[in-house]
Amino acid sequence: MKVNGRPYRTVWMDDESTGEFKIIDQRWLPFRFEVETIRTTEEAAAAIKDMHVRGAGCIGAVAAHAMYIAAFESEKSAGKIFEEELRQKADFLASTRPTAVNLQWAISRQLDEILSQDSISDGAKKARSVAQQIADEDAEWCNRIGQHGKPIIEDLAKKNPGRPINILTHCNAGWLAFVDHGSATAPIYAAHDAGIPVHVWVDETRPRNQGARLTAWELNQHGVPHTVIVDNTGGHLMQNGMVDLVITGTDRTTYTGDVANKIGTYLKALAAKDNEVPFYVALPSSTFDWQIRDGVKEIPIEKRDGDEVSMMSGLSDRSGDRETEVAIVSPGSEVANYAFDVTPSRLVTGLITERGVCDANETSILNLFPEHKK
Ligand code: MRU
């Protein structure tokens, strides 16, 4: 995607440099665009945990690059120590965020590839090419999600000529949450680029405001008409016929179709069901959990620092780019910060994947991904 006209991915390696990679540091958007260089496993872990990067696909791709750094760092040790050290680093990286399954997926894929090499230096070389491969795959899968999701918007446009199709989205499942294109936004970008009129309702997404800060910024960069709303607005809009379609992303979806996504997604799905608004979830196959059957009972839900709820940051001077933090909760009150919730499959109209659209149930998902049939 382009930032001020220049193409970017969220994570990349420069051809000439070894033992480092670059990320877009999302903490400062939309007010400042900054690129960060990651040189150690510790820096990579901090970037994931403290949300310099976030979003399932992006976290997975960054973890893949972090494993390359880990292998590069461990290259100096010999034999068994290399494997031990690498496994420790893999565990350390995997512990940074519990809900997005892409993290573990990318780390175990890298571990298998590195440890199957004959020599340590081959392992480090392999890790570099696998990191690149995971990033390229993520971008291509999201591109295909766009192509498979576009007809859903196209059909709605045919049924409602002469007005834009109103799509509600929650959190940021845009290109910043992946390597490129995004999941929930990919069909929107594809429809917009094809000349189909769209308008996006952007949930601000408390407490980190990924919608107000990131999705809105992305849509601005791409010229897609949109309106930011507070999180509790969706139900009212749906009751008044102002939402044609909901598309969200997901951080982990079970092979039975239960969807973990940013906190508040479940309430949107309930309102959509009550108002007969189609509720789609867009995801690459790297976000399926092929082990877990019951998402509500089994998906680990991250609880983050209460300061994310009780403090808020933003510009005190609209013309500047330095943010100020302010307290917004009565001092002394307890706060709880559940980062994700689970939407049961019965509330999901369909899943938009890189292989096509399927129903949110075991049979339909496994028909699209037969290699995961047990
Ligand atoms: O806590 P974050 O910002 O990493 O949240 C994850 C997400 O980006 C959303 O839940 C998103 O909708 C999932 S799509 C990658």
Side-chain angles (χ1 to χ4, degrees), residues 57-76:
C58 182
I59 291 173
V62 169
H65 285 70
M67 284 298 291
Y68 156 58
I69 302 288
F72 188 79
E73 286 169 343
S74 302
E75 209 181 335
K76 291 170 202 98

Side-chain angles (χ1 to χ4, degrees), residues 51 54-57 59 97 170-173 177-178 183 210 248-251 261-262 302 304 339-340:
M51 288 168 78
R54 23 74 41 214
I59 291 173
R97 295 201 69 190
H170 190 67
C171 195
N172 172 260
F178 289 85
S183 59
Q210 291 95 329
T248 74
T250 167
D251 298 273
N261 195 46
K262 184 52 61 189
E302 179 178 14
R304 293 185 61 86
F340 301 94

Side-chain angles (χ1 to χ4, degrees), residues 14 169 190 204 210 268:
D14 289 330
T169 192
E204 66 172 343
Q210 291 95 329
K268 295 292 130 58

Side-chain angles (χ1 to χ4, degrees), residues 93-356:
L93 286 165
S95 70
T96 50
R97 295 201 69 190
T99 304
V101 76
N102 302 58
L103 180 68
Q104 285 116 45
W105 170 83
I107 291 171
S108 17
R109 182 165 159 188
Q110 275 283 34
L111 256 187
D112 289 350
E113 293 274 14
I114 299 167
L115 295 176
S116 68
Q117 299 305 303
D118 289 336
S119 73
I120 296 167
S121 70
D122 282 355
K125 260 190 228 123
K126 184 72 181 174
R128 185 178 168 101
S129 73
V130 172
Q132 187 61 53
Q133 197 182 337
I134 285 178
D136 289 346
E137 264 173 24
D138 182 271
E140 178 50 25
W141 288 347
C142 286
N143 177 34
R144 288 190 209 163
I145 286 170
Q147 298 314 314
H148 291 303
K150 188 179 88 170
I152 298 171
I153 302 174
E154 216 159 25
D155 283 354
L156 286 165
K158 280 186 196 139
K159 288 180 192 142
N160 298 280
R163 69 161 179 87
I165 296 308
N166 289 300
I167 303 158
L168 184 140
T169 192
H170 190 67
C171 195
N172 172 260
W175 71 267
L176 288 168
F178 289 85
V179 174
D180 206 350
H181 304 289
S183 59
T185 52
I188 299 173
Y189 291 133
H192 172 82
D193 293 348
I196 300 165
V198 292
H199 165 263
V200 185
W201 294 111
V202 179
D203 278 354
E204 66 172 343
T205 320
R206 282 279 292 144
R208 296 280 300 218
N209 293 322
Q210 291 95 329
R213 296 181 68 112
L214 304 176
T215 307
W217 178 79
E218 276 194 24
L219 294 172
N220 267 326
Q221 292 290 325
H222 206 82
V224 179
H226 62 280
T227 307
V228 177
I229 49 178
V230 299
D231 291 333
N232 298 324
T233 313
H236 168 75
L237 296 177
M238 291 183 209
Q239 275 178 331
N240 286 281
M242 295 161 80
V243 181
D244 298 298
L245 171 69
V246 179
I247 312 181
T248 74
T250 167
D251 298 273
R252 186 188 298 232
T253 288
T254 64
Y255 67 91
T256 55
D258 294 338
V259 170
N261 195 46
K262 184 52 61 189
I263 192 80
T265 303
Y266 173 44
L267 293 178
K268 295 292 130 58
L270 285 171
K273 187 77 169 177
D274 194 41
N275 291 284
E276 294 176 14
V277 172
F279 183 96
Y280 281 90
V281 175
L283 73 159
S285 51
S286 48
T287 308
F288 278 111
D289 186 321
W290 303 106
Q291 312 300 325
I292 286 182
R293 166 168 284 280
D294 185 332
V296 176
K297 288 199 187 124
E298 296 178 77
I299 295 179
I301 299 295
E302 179 178 14
K303 256 187 104 178
R304 293 185 61 86
D305 199 305
D307 274 1
E308 290 184 352
V309 175
S310 55
M311 305 293 291
M312 210 167 193
S313 60
L315 295 183
S316 57
D317 164 13
R318 277 172 187 265
S319 60
D321 67 359
R322 301 285 144 174
E323 296 187 50
T324 315
E325 264 205 319
V326 292
I328 58 165
V329 172
S330 174
S333 292
E334 288 288 322
V335 290
N337 186 7
Y338 295 91
F340 301 94
D341 61 23
V342 177
T343 299
S345 59
R346 63 177 182 277
L347 301 177
V348 179
T349 309
L351 301 173
I352 309 169
T353 78
E354 76 269 19
R355 292 199 192 161

